[in-house]
Amino acid sequence: MSEKKKLEAYYGLPEEVSFCTKCVMSNQRPTSTVEFKHTKDSRKTTMNFDEQGVCDACRTAEIKDNIDWGMREEELVKLLDKYRKNDGSYDCLVPGSGGKDSAYQAHVLKYKYNMNPLTVTWPPILYTDYGLKNWKNWLDSGFDNISFYRNGKVMKLLTKLSIENLLHPFQTFILGQKNLAPKIAAQHGINLIFYGENEAEYGNPLADNMTSLRDKSYFSFEHLDEIFLAGVSIKELMEKYDVRLSDLMAYLPPKAEELEKANIEVHYLGYYLKWTPQEVYYYAVENTGFKARPHRTQGTFSKYSGIDDKIDDLHFYTTFIKFGIGRATYDASQEIRNRHLTREEGQALVSRFDGEFPDRYFNDVMEYIGMESEYFHELCDKFRSPHLWGKDEEGNWKLRHNVAGKGLED
């Protein structure tokens, strides 16, 4: 058996590293956000590559080219006619923070299709100044909003534990963000929730255009003892960290009986309307006052995606550490699928920006969670999977394989 075969692959990742022949994504990209306590037992699944070496996301992009979008819009109109209310009450819910996607969703639904959306915000952990301004501009362009600011002490603890146990700064944040919308919808008698892009756009399993929240597999509160937050069981959080169950409820899914009564459906607007990130960005700029970042996002070449939270940049750095996939890989792959970049241009951008350390807000994040920077870097080394990383002759960490063919073992 060769030395390469002996190298351990963490997180259930494929031992052999390969790259999509159309975009620049690797087969190490996880499709599940479910994380467990032990770093080598995260039980992740990764995106599929077909016999031609093409990833799921690129195949989905090809399907989009052959969709009759006029017919899809007719489906959307029928759906909206079914749920539209004429008594002044909210008839749909749009979760978001005022980024380009949620700004586009809410504005199109209200001002093109005459819906009355309630917008709901699970706020960033650490707002950027421009992110906060975009959120305010979004609401000032014509929307009611509920912003749920969770227990700050618990958010800090869970963020720190998520980094220590999973090297995933956003793990608990994402869970709370996902579970907030159905809770608010149920409270306000809203039966329709709209998200933006279908998850299949990024290589997750092809999602249907609709999910019923009556399906207990989507959101459930059935087995509390089996739920982990930040890699820690609910029981341990309560006993070891003196956290009350009431402090954790914001992160947990609604109870099944609540969903049964609510009769809520979740739809992706990107299923009905062709979703092109650059065009969505321009629409948000023109109609909701959205403004791009005043500087390039560290780790990539763009300025307008995921810019409201200071921790966002660090999150993508940790994906680079764990999976060898940084923010430039995600951005370039999407731009290639939308024919705004060639694969060769994407390779060059990934080589230049992927894995760039996000030092602009790093100290702010460490101060917020009470972690020493040296300890964070030690954690990064602990979470590097041996099959992805090695050291060069000078003792510096380097990917064994990269999309440009310039890795340690390429």
Side-chain angles (χ1 to χ4, degrees):
M1 184 178 291
S2 67
E3 181 182 356
K4 184 177 180 181
K5 294 281 187 182
K6 295 179 182 178
L7 294 174
E8 185 177 6
Y10 293 174
Y11 322 117
L13 298 175
E15 293 182 2
E16 299 292 328
V17 179
S18 60
F19 297 89
C20 177
T21 55
K22 285 204 166 189
C23 69
V24 290
M25 187 58 67
S26 87
N27 66 338
Q28 306 295 301
R29 186 205 185 281
T31 60
S32 173
T33 58
V34 177
E35 303 264 11
F36 291 77
K37 182 174 181 179
H38 301 291
T39 62
K40 298 176 186 178
D41 186 31
S42 291
R43 304 181 191 178
K44 282 186 172 291
T45 56
T46 54
M47 70 190 310
N48 294 318
F49 282 50
D50 63 19
E51 294 179 356
Q52 287 74 44
V54 179
C55 73
D56 283 347
C58 283
R59 290 305 187 200
T60 298
E62 293 174 358
I63 293 172
K64 285 175 63 176
D65 289 338
N66 297 313
I67 289 174
D68 183 339
W69 289 104
M71 185 175 295
R72 284 286 179 89
E73 186 178 18
E74 290 178 8
E75 290 182 44
L76 175 63
V77 171
K78 290 180 181 178
L79 173 69
L80 299 180
D81 287 345
K82 175 183 175 182
Y83 285 100
R84 186 178 291 104
K85 298 178 181 178
N86 297 314
D87 60 359
S89 60
Y90 304 114
D91 45 27
C92 64
L93 184 145
V94 176
S97 62
K100 62 177 178 60
D101 295 332
S102 53
Y104 170 78
Q105 289 164 236
H107 198 276
V108 163
L109 286 168
K110 183 169 185 176
Y111 293 105
K112 182 175 182 179
Y113 297 105
N114 200 33
M115 297 295 284
N116 185 25
L118 172 65
T119 64
V120 175
T121 300
W122 176 265
I125 300 174
L126 288 173
Y127 260 118
T128 59
D129 292 341
Y130 38 86
L132 182 58
K133 187 173 182 180
N134 279 333
W135 176 71
K136 292 178 179 178
N137 287 345
W138 177 39
L139 304 186
D140 288 345
S141 69
F143 301 98
D144 293 343
N145 176 269
I146 293 176
S147 182
F148 184 87
Y149 194 90
R150 64 266 137 184
N151 183 320
K153 180 180 179 181
V154 173
M155 184 78 261
K156 289 182 182 181
L157 172 66
L158 293 177
T159 302
K160 183 177 183 180
L161 291 175
S162 293
I163 293 175
E164 289 183 332
N165 295 327
L166 307 168
L167 201 69
H168 189 342
F170 272 157
Q171 196 258 0
T172 47
F173 177 87
I174 290 171
L175 291 177
Q177 185 181 56
K178 176 180 180 180
N179 291 324
L180 178 64
K183 293 177 183 178
I184 300 297
Q187 290 173 8
H188 288 265
I190 300 171
N191 303 109
L192 182 60
I193 297 175
F194 269 107
Y195 288 96
E197 293 172 282
N198 193 306
E199 293 179 4
E201 299 276 355
Y202 299 97
N204 288 343
L206 187 61
D208 197 354
N209 64 304
M210 183 274 284
T211 302
S212 171
L213 294 192
R214 288 172 292 177
D215 178 1
K216 296 178 184 178
S217 66
Y218 190 78
F219 292 103
S220 65
F221 194 86
E222 298 300 293
H223 305 288
L224 192 62
D225 292 341
E226 298 178 9
I227 297 177
F228 280 66
L229 294 176
V232 182
S233 69
I234 300 296
K235 181 178 180 181
E236 185 178 356
L237 282 169
M238 295 173 64
E239 294 179 353
K240 182 177 179 180
Y241 296 97
D242 193 28
V243 176
R244 300 178 183 181
L245 180 59
S246 59
D247 295 327
L248 302 173
M249 292 300 290
Y251 304 89
L252 302 178
K255 297 179 181 179
E257 57 267 25
E258 296 174 352
L259 297 179
E260 290 285 352
K261 296 177 182 178
N263 192 23
I264 299 169
E265 291 184 2
V266 171
H267 288 254
Y268 296 91
L269 194 59
Y271 172 83
Y272 301 100
L273 304 176
K274 189 172 184 181
W275 200 280
T276 305
Q278 282 193 20
E279 293 179 10
V280 167
Y281 162 65
Y282 294 134
Y283 184 99
V285 169
E286 182 177 351
N287 294 284
T288 71
F290 179 84
K291 293 185 178 180
R293 219 170 200 162
H295 48 76
R296 177 183 61 81
T297 297
Q298 290 181 304
T300 191
F301 51 89
S302 68
K303 291 184 175 183
Y304 59 71
S305 296
I307 63 173
D308 57 357
D309 199 326
K310 292 181 178 181
I311 296 183
D312 204 79
D313 301 350
L314 192 68
H315 165 65
F316 279 98
Y317 180 76
T318 62
T319 68
F320 180 70
I321 296 298
K322 290 195 295 184
F323 313 122
I325 301 171
R327 194 164 190 167
T329 293
Y330 285 96
D331 290 349
S333 293
Q334 189 177 57
E335 295 296 338
I336 292 169
R337 294 176 199 127
N338 290 317
R339 298 187 179 88
H340 296 147
L341 288 176
T342 66
R343 189 172 189 273
E344 291 71 27
E345 290 170 333
Q347 287 175 309
L349 289 167
V350 170
S351 295
R352 182 175 179 183
F353 296 119
D354 238 21
E356 177 184 15
F357 186 73
D359 57 12
R360 187 182 301 275
Y361 299 122
F362 178 68
N363 290 336
D364 292 348
V365 175
M366 292 297 103
E367 181 179 353
Y368 169 77
I369 62 175
M371 179 180 288
E372 296 293 330
S373 59
E374 294 80 5
Y375 179 49
F376 174 80
H377 292 297
E378 290 174 6
L379 288 170
C380 287
D381 289 347
K382 172 185 173 184
F383 280 84
R384 295 179 194 268
S385 183
H387 82 298
L388 292 177
W389 292 94
K391 288 190 175 182
D392 61 19
E393 294 179 354
E394 298 178 356
N396 299 314
W397 286 109
K398 188 173 181 179
L399 286 172
R400 298 182 185 277
H401 306 281
N402 65 28
V403 71
K406 298 180 181 179
L408 202 59
E409 296 180 0
D410 289 330

